[in-house]
Amino acid sequence: MSRPAPAARKRTRKDTAGRPRRARRTEARNARAAAAFVLPFLALFGLCFLAPLGYALHQSLQKTERTGPLGLGREHEAFAGFAHYAQALSDDRFLTGFGRVLLFGAVQIPLMIVLATALALLLESASARGIAFFRTAFFLPYGVPGVIASILWGFLYVPGISPLVKIAESVGWHVDFLSRGTVLWSLANIVTWQFTGYNMLVLIAQLKAVPGELYEAARIDGANAWQVARHVKLPLIRPALVLTGVFSIIGTLQLFAEPMVLRPLASSIDSGFTPNLHAYSEAFVGNNPHVAAAEAVLLALVACVLSFGFLRLAGGRAEGRG
Amino acid sequence: MTRPPARYRIITASLLTVAALYFLVPVYWLVVSATKNSADLFGTFGFWFSDPHPVDYLTAVLAYDHGIYARWFANSLCYAGIGAVCATLLSAAAGYALAKFPFRGREAVFNMVLAGVLIPGTALALPLYFLFSSMGLSNTYWAVLIPSMVSPFGVYLCRIYAAAAVPDSLLEAARIDGAGEARIFGGIGLRLMTPALVTVFLFQFVHIWNNYFLPLVMLSDSDLYPIQLGLTSWTGYADRQPVLYQYTVGGAFLSVVPLMVLMTVLQRYWRTGLTEGSVKA
């Protein structure tokens, strides 16, 4: 942010050098043109990002009161302070849901990224045959929406219909994908299935951007395939790893469609299974929009803190600037 | 380059094959199951065919409830198509301006957009519903379309790409030739930014097509549903009407096939455009 100062000084020097009008005219023209290009986006950004956040903040601090005898009179809004936040934060189910999603992310995200990295490196190693086929096969699930993926895997989890359960039972292994202890990891499997190939493609693209001489040089120095991967490729794809990490964190906190679709099949998934599910049922089942708004604000806050924190931790802060 | 030893090649090939099985088996199950009726869906082994009548069963999916499935499909296409085109154009204009016009507050605007990338969409969907319903917009096409037109990630990507791919000297030359800013953007900027625009469009199209939470929250009229929402409404009734299990599977198959073809064909663009955001840092 320290850039504008020298620029401004330069401009004043130019001004005294006899071209003030032209410089000022350029600036004004710049501002007009920029406004025309940026404003349509900013207007919709304001409507769909800033306004809802502001509205949620406002709503989370309000409460509905009724006046008159027995509280049957007219409704009106009153300031509630942080009561709804306190209510959300003292709700065991909401907190458990948050904990569950954090645990989910702590296990699923590293697993998925390690798997994606391994597949990317394998595909990029010279010895892989049928690369195009494998790449397409791994990427295909990304084209399956979360809801459809969940319906699909739901059928593969339910005992009466799943061929997987049948095969497991024929070798004497009794699995229950939907029990209280396993259902979270059955959901993790759906998410991993969907997004590993996408992350793999991001990593492959970054690997392709690495100049080939670098690998050659390492090989000439006597490094084997594993050493090249570990000491040359991995450090170079770090920015892409950070990017996939941040998107995975944001995605995990939004976890909703998968548990929502599996709910009718698994009694172990309740209406507070994830923070999002909890906010949704507060709003539409519990008819409690103020608490739902507070929970949405908390969710956005935690997502921002976690992804910013991760960016800092990964040293990727500089990556965001063009 | 020296060929790696045979042992290494065999290990690589087997690892890739195991992974391919993991990713393809559910798709294979879907293909097999789309050829079955309700009874066979539950009664026969899921990984093998039994008396396949795919055309009859898929026609039944399309005919059910006066062809509501086709309507959902058209809705999805409309939300994703129009939404992604508008999002791409708006992002292109904003990203271009942020890259090419130094103006006061530029970094502030860009940082705000970056923060927008980090806010989870579903955290916004509920407040957005409350806001839209107070404006009388909920349960309309607009309720899903308008939010679909905003892509902070698209702006971010377009800015980085325009900064690298659109030379200032070219813009200056066009200005000296007397071209207006709008014409320069349309004739030069958009053309040079095409790879980034394809990426933004694909991203946004898939994002809108896959989005479930926003339409679920916004829409109550099933005529406005996109396909995902429609299919889950079928599974909701399937307990009472078991044939809907079969229709859900058939409907899932029908909706997934075109997307998979698209994915396969467009994979190339994903690979080239996808990482602009992280590579061109």
Side-chain angles (χ1 to χ4, degrees):
Chain A
M1 294 306 109
S2 56
R3 243 190 302 152
R9 222 181 304 131
K10 207 163 132 204
R11 211 181 300 130
T12 41
R13 223 184 299 139
K14 256 188 203 163
D15 287 354
T16 52
R19 300 191 311 177
R21 198 173 296 166
R22 192 170 154 202
R24 236 182 295 138
R25 217 167 40 204
T26 312
E27 201 176 308
R29 199 189 57 193
N30 267 346
R32 260 204 317 277
F37 284 123
V38 179
L39 280 181
F41 169 80
L42 279 186
L44 283 185
F45 184 79
L47 178 66
C48 298
F49 278 76
L50 304 181
L53 273 183
Y55 193 75
L57 267 174
H58 169 78
Q59 206 178 16
S60 67
L61 299 172
Q62 299 288 106
K63 62 184 171 195
T64 309
E65 274 183 347
R66 283 169 190 276
T67 48
L70 301 168
L72 292 172
R74 249 171 1 114
E75 282 183 14
H76 71 108
E77 299 278 296
F79 185 65
F82 289 98
H84 299 304
Y85 289 92
Q87 193 183 333
L89 289 173
S90 61
D91 184 337
D92 274 345
R93 289 201 317 145
F94 183 62
L95 292 181
T96 315
F98 247 121
R100 194 177 282 123
V101 162
L102 292 179
L103 173 69
F104 178 99
V107 175
Q108 190 267 335
I109 295 174
L111 252 178
M112 173 176 66
I113 291 184
V114 166
L115 183 60
T117 313
L119 292 177
L121 290 173
L122 280 175
L123 278 183
E124 281 298 283
S125 75
S127 53
R129 287 182 185 213
I131 287 174
F133 164 77
F134 285 119
R135 204 176 38 218
T136 309
F138 302 163
F139 184 56
L140 268 190
Y142 182 64
V144 181
V147 168
I148 309 252
S150 308
I151 292 175
L152 211 72
W153 278 100
F155 279 111
L156 292 173
Y157 288 154
V158 171
I161 190 168
S162 165
L164 295 180
V165 175
K166 264 181 208 151
I167 292 174
E169 271 170 3
S170 71
V171 295
W173 185 34
H174 295 280
V175 282
D176 182 356
F177 290 111
L178 301 172
S179 73
R180 190 162 289 279
T182 51
V183 75
L184 188 64
W185 311 116
S186 301
L187 291 168
N189 172 57
I190 301 178
V191 175
T192 308
W193 181 77
Q194 267 193 288
F195 292 103
T196 300
Y198 166 80
N199 288 317
M200 180 199 72
L201 270 200
V202 174
L203 296 171
I204 287 181
Q206 179 103 57
L207 277 174
K208 292 244 191 262
V210 175
E213 303 96 71
L214 226 49
Y215 304 145
E216 281 307 305
R219 282 224 184 77
I220 291 165
D221 285 349
N224 62 28
W226 166 250
Q227 284 168 327
V228 173
R230 168 74 187 76
H231 295 289
V232 181
K233 292 183 180 174
L234 274 188
L236 285 169
I237 57 173
R238 198 189 152 94
L241 286 172
V242 172
L243 187 82
T244 53
V246 169
F247 281 139
S248 304
I249 290 174
I250 299 168
T252 299
L253 284 166
Q254 309 195 50
L255 203 61
F256 179 82
E258 292 82 1
M260 182 82 173
V261 172
L262 285 194
R263 245 186 97 183
L265 307 174
S267 55
S268 45
I269 301 178
D270 58 22
S271 64
F273 196 74
T274 70
N276 233 332
L277 215 51
H278 196 271
Y280 174 79
S281 49
E282 278 288 355
F284 292 103
V285 185
N287 202 9
N288 214 341
H290 297 291
V291 177
E295 293 184 354
V297 171
L298 286 171
L299 189 64
L301 207 65
V302 171
C304 270
V305 167
L306 279 184
S307 37
F308 266 122
F310 177 75
L311 274 176
R312 278 208 104 122
L313 202 73
R317 255 180 79 82
E319 257 87 53
R321 304 292 143 86
Chain B
M1 207 182 287
T2 51
R3 268 165 71 84
R7 183 170 49 95
Y8 183 74
R9 270 183 291 137
I10 292 169
I11 294 174
T12 307
S14 15
L15 287 176
L16 290 175
T17 308
V18 170
L21 279 177
Y22 169 62
F23 290 112
L24 290 181
V25 159
V27 180
Y28 170 73
W29 176 86
L30 184 65
V31 174
V32 169
S33 301
T35 68
K36 291 181 178 176
N37 63 25
S38 282
D40 285 349
L41 195 60
F42 288 95
T44 61
F45 185 58
F47 288 146
W48 198 243
F49 297 92
S50 137
D51 189 26
H53 287 288
V55 177
D56 296 351
Y57 298 147
L58 295 179
T59 323
V61 171
L62 291 174
Y64 180 72
D65 197 10
H66 311 289
I68 188 82
Y69 182 87
R71 170 139 197 160
W72 292 336
F73 202 98
N75 287 343
S76 271
L77 268 183
C78 162
Y79 292 132
I82 298 175
V85 167
C86 293
T88 308
L89 288 175
L90 291 174
S91 304
Y96 172 82
L98 288 172
K100 291 295 159 192
F101 296 102
F103 60 91
R104 223 181 308 141
R106 176 167 80 159
E107 292 309 311
V109 170
F110 189 59
N111 286 333
M112 196 169 73
V113 171
L114 274 186
V117 176
L118 296 182
I119 297 173
T122 56
L124 290 172
L126 273 180
L128 199 61
Y129 164 75
F130 297 133
L131 189 70
F132 274 21
S133 74
S134 74
M135 294 161 69
L137 276 175
S138 62
N139 200 29
T140 64
Y141 275 110
W142 296 110
V144 177
L145 257 182
I146 292 174
S148 304
M149 294 177 184
V150 191
S151 166
F153 183 69
V155 174
Y156 165 73
L157 213 136
C158 284
R159 181 194 183 173
I160 293 173
Y161 197 87
V166 182
D168 284 328
S169 52
L170 204 60
L171 303 184
E172 223 26 74
R175 273 178 205 134
I176 289 165
D177 286 348
E181 292 299 337
R183 248 197 86 196
I184 296 175
F185 171 66
I188 300 172
L190 277 185
R191 204 157 297 168
L192 291 174
M193 287 164 72
T194 305
L197 301 186
V198 173
T199 310
V200 174
F201 176 82
L202 289 176
F203 254 116
Q204 195 64 6
F205 188 92
V206 172
H207 174 74
I208 304 169
W209 186 279
N210 291 357
N211 198 347
Y212 174 64
F213 196 57
L214 182 73
L216 174 74
V217 167
M218 286 291 181
L219 305 175
S220 50
D221 178 356
S222 72
D223 276 352
L224 302 178
Y225 282 3
I227 218 155
Q228 269 67 266
L229 205 49
L231 286 180
T232 52
S233 76
W234 276 358
T235 57
Y237 291 116
D239 268 348
R240 275 154 283 169
Q241 225 178 322
V243 75
L244 282 174
Y245 282 117
Q246 179 200 328
Y247 291 168
T248 305
V249 171
F253 172 80
L254 283 179
S255 79
V256 158
V257 167
L259 244 89
M260 288 197 161
V261 173
L262 208 68
M263 286 286 143
T264 314
V265 175
L266 295 176
Q267 213 198 122
R268 192 160 63 87
Y269 289 99
W270 288 94
R271 251 182 311 141
T272 49
L274 205 59
T275 46
E276 301 299 346
S278 63
V279 179
K280 297 255 168 63

